[in-house]
Amino acid sequence: MKYLWLYVIAIIASLGGLLSGYDTGVISGALLFINETWDLTDTLQGLVVSAVLIGAVIGAATNGILADIFGRKKIIMATAVIFFLGSIMCAFATNIIMLIISRIFVGFAVGIVNFVVPLYLSEISPKYLRGTLVSLYQWAITAGILFSYFINAVFTHTVYNWRWMLLAGVVPSLVLFIGMYFVKDTPRWLVSKNKDDEAKEVFNKIEPRINADRRINKIKNIIFKDNQENKFKLKKWMLMPFVVGIGIMFAQICTGINTIIYYAPTIFKSAGFDSHITAIYATTGIGIVNFLMTIVVLYFTDKLGRKPLLYFGLTGVMLSLFALGASYSFEDSLGEMQQWVAVGSIVTYIVCFAMSLGPVGWILVSEVFPLKIRGISMSICTVSNFAFNFFVVASFPVLLNRLGGAWTFWIFGIVSILCLIFVYFFVPETKGISLERIEKNWINGISPRDF
């Protein structure tokens, strides 16, 4: 295979998504049993789930510069170590305060990995494979979520069930650390540190048919232009990449994905499923759908483009959220059918999200920023992602209990409509365009709709 080594590197790096996915999914089942160990209020339930997002904001905010200084590879390996230790701390928490603190520590690793892995994948990818390879990260997230659901199902019947569920997080952290030990950093970062020989070696492995010296010279030209001023200044043309990056993070989170992932068993129980075990099994089915549909989108990302997938996905997300809200509004009329309308709505939601906002969101934020500030820019976008996430996840149990399921999900549906409008006017189509060309388009003031 022409790009065998490229795919090997991409798969290894994308395993970072296992960390994020596992932590996202495992708390959904563990929360049911944590609530039996300590009788939690709805506010405390929200805090247990969202504590990881506090750490994630800190991790994403403090490590963008470090990724630019020390490289993408070393930062990814560091996150694996942090996640390993955090999983042990969570499993052995003796009270709810210790559990929340441990979840914040785990979140620190999650925040780092969510920007540095897509960044790594984007910088090693040829322009015609970039969407597919960055989508591998989202696929790994869904694999991590599915793995966590299976772990939840396995340990449901055991003593110390939720502790075993959280402890199993050491597995993806070990896999990531070992895998990254054997790969090199991205050629673009290596060039930025004047390590041209190493960059050439990597280019020759991942793109054997290109002229590595010419590619390195192109990257150097971009860096040279940015370095013409002794002190880097934020320029007017850089505003739009931030609008796109932060806007797409808003769309990815504030359309409600993590209310479904984190609270799926809770939603299923409120919709009529009568036991923890049944709710967890139903949630596992959702994880399988999420995993399979993300595999499907790997094929379409570089064929259909980013915006068509976003249009399709956001429309489906909007309709399924209105349907899910209706299942609560008309529960008396639906009777036992309510739980199946809820399941159908959530399955549709997951299919549409997995084929659009999930992978495309991370693809876009890895593409739209200039090389000189790509690390810190993605860090800022990831901070915004987790800040939105914290607000949505922490408020969800309160909204569900006080507004009811109908209005809670209808609000997310209205947000989806606003996000469709945003995508139409502000998000560029980046399919088949090199990272260097994307940067030139911004510099030349080209409208996002005309990329």
Side-chain angles (χ1 to χ4, degrees):
M1 287 178 62
K2 184 170 60 171
Y3 296 111
L4 177 60
W5 187 244
L6 173 64
Y7 285 115
V8 170
I9 294 174
I11 290 171
I12 290 171
S14 68
L15 292 176
L18 283 172
L19 300 184
S20 181
Y22 186 83
D23 183 77
T24 299
V26 73
I27 196 63
S28 65
L31 183 64
L32 297 175
F33 301 103
I34 292 170
N35 202 36
E36 292 180 350
T37 303
W38 302 296
D39 188 17
L40 305 180
T41 64
D42 53 9
T43 303
L44 265 179
Q45 288 182 54
L47 187 57
V48 169
V49 174
S50 60
V52 73
L53 303 173
I54 299 173
V57 169
I58 299 169
T62 57
N63 283 277
I65 295 175
L66 294 181
D68 285 336
I69 295 173
F70 296 107
R72 296 27 170 157
K73 172 184 172 175
K74 289 178 182 176
I75 299 300
I76 293 173
M77 293 179 70
T79 63
V81 174
I82 296 169
F83 197 88
F84 180 90
L85 297 174
S87 296
I88 295 173
M89 290 168 58
C90 287
F92 289 93
T94 55
N95 56 59
I96 194 64
I97 300 300
M98 283 189 64
L99 179 60
I100 290 171
I101 292 171
S102 300
R103 292 270 296 158
I104 292 173
F105 187 72
V106 168
F108 187 74
V110 173
I112 301 168
V113 82
N114 266 277
F115 84 83
V116 76
V117 172
L119 174 60
Y120 183 96
L121 292 170
S122 176
E123 290 189 345
I124 66 166
S125 303
K127 61 184 179 182
Y128 41 84
L129 287 175
R130 193 171 58 243
T132 298
L133 295 184
V134 178
S135 294
L136 282 174
Y137 176 70
Q138 183 65 26
W139 169 78
I141 290 178
T142 64
I145 292 171
L146 181 57
F147 174 60
S148 73
Y149 288 164
F150 281 128
I151 291 295
N152 286 347
V154 167
F155 289 118
T156 292
H157 302 285
T158 63
V159 181
Y160 307 122
N161 37 36
W162 65 265
R163 297 184 185 276
W164 285 112
M165 293 173 185
L166 298 180
L167 182 62
V170 300
V171 176
S173 60
L174 282 173
V175 172
L176 177 63
F177 184 87
I178 294 169
M180 287 304 298
Y181 179 81
F182 293 101
V183 303
K184 288 187 176 292
D185 220 310
T186 72
R188 287 176 171 85
W189 180 80
L190 292 169
V191 171
S192 73
K193 298 302 176 182
N194 296 315
K195 299 181 179 181
D196 294 5
D197 290 339
E198 289 183 56
K200 185 174 180 179
E201 180 184 345
V202 177
F203 268 132
N204 287 335
K205 284 186 175 181
I206 64 177
E207 293 188 79
R209 296 190 179 183
I210 70 159
N211 185 315
D213 290 324
R214 189 167 66 178
R215 180 62 61 85
I216 288 170
N217 286 334
K218 284 184 178 180
I219 296 170
K220 278 182 170 292
N221 287 337
I222 293 291
I223 295 172
F224 175 75
K225 287 179 181 178
D226 288 336
N227 286 339
Q228 283 182 327
E229 299 177 8
N230 290 328
K231 186 176 180 181
F232 179 78
K233 294 180 180 179
L234 190 65
K235 299 164 188 166
K236 185 177 180 181
W237 64 265
M238 293 179 183
L239 176 63
M240 277 308 300
F242 280 101
V243 170
V244 174
I246 295 173
I248 205 66
M249 291 292 93
F250 176 89
Q252 189 183 70
I253 298 303
C254 294
T255 49
I257 180 58
N258 283 326
T259 63
I260 305 295
I261 300 298
Y262 284 125
Y263 292 108
T266 303
I267 294 170
F268 285 139
K269 288 205 72 180
S270 70
F273 287 89
D274 57 359
S275 73
H276 290 352
I277 296 172
T278 305
I280 286 175
Y281 285 160
T283 303
T284 303
I286 296 300
I288 292 171
V289 172
N290 194 17
F291 177 75
L292 293 176
M293 295 314 298
T294 306
I295 294 175
V296 171
V297 83
L298 293 177
Y299 176 79
F300 289 109
T301 306
D302 285 314
K303 293 184 181 296
L304 297 180
R306 291 33 163 172
K307 293 187 74 167
L309 289 174
L310 288 173
Y311 292 143
F312 163 79
L314 277 167
T315 301
V317 161
M318 173 193 66
L319 294 175
S320 58
L321 285 168
F322 282 125
L324 182 57
S327 74
Y328 283 88
S329 183
F330 300 105
E331 60 182 317
D332 292 336
S333 304
L334 292 170
E336 292 185 0
M337 282 296 295
Q338 184 206 5
Q339 59 187 350
W340 300 113
V341 173
V343 169
S345 301
I346 291 175
V347 168
T348 303
Y349 179 101
I350 290 295
V351 167
C352 295
F353 183 90
M355 292 189 68
S356 60
L357 282 168
V360 175
W362 291 112
I363 291 168
L364 283 169
V365 297
S366 72
E367 293 176 323
V368 296
F369 292 105
L371 175 62
K372 187 170 179 66
I373 59 166
R374 192 169 293 146
I376 192 170
S377 299
M378 285 194 65
S379 173
I380 292 169
C381 287
T382 308
V383 168
S384 69
N385 180 290
F386 286 115
F388 296 142
N389 207 338
F390 176 81
F391 173 76
V392 170
V393 170
S395 63
F396 179 74
V398 179
L399 291 174
L400 194 62
N401 289 334
R402 300 181 188 180
L403 286 184
W407 273 107
T408 298
F409 291 110
W410 286 342
I411 289 171
F412 289 128
I414 293 168
V415 171
S416 301
I417 296 174
L418 298 177
C419 291
L420 269 170
I421 297 170
F422 169 80
V423 168
Y424 179 79
F425 285 105
F426 296 103
V427 174
E429 178 55 72
T430 56
K431 181 189 77 169
I433 307 175
S434 71
L435 296 178
E436 290 73 32
R437 167 52 70 181
I438 292 171
E439 184 168 341
K440 286 183 179 179
N441 284 351
W442 290 126
I443 292 171
N444 293 332
I446 296 175
S447 167
R449 291 185 61 193
D450 296 327
F451 264 41

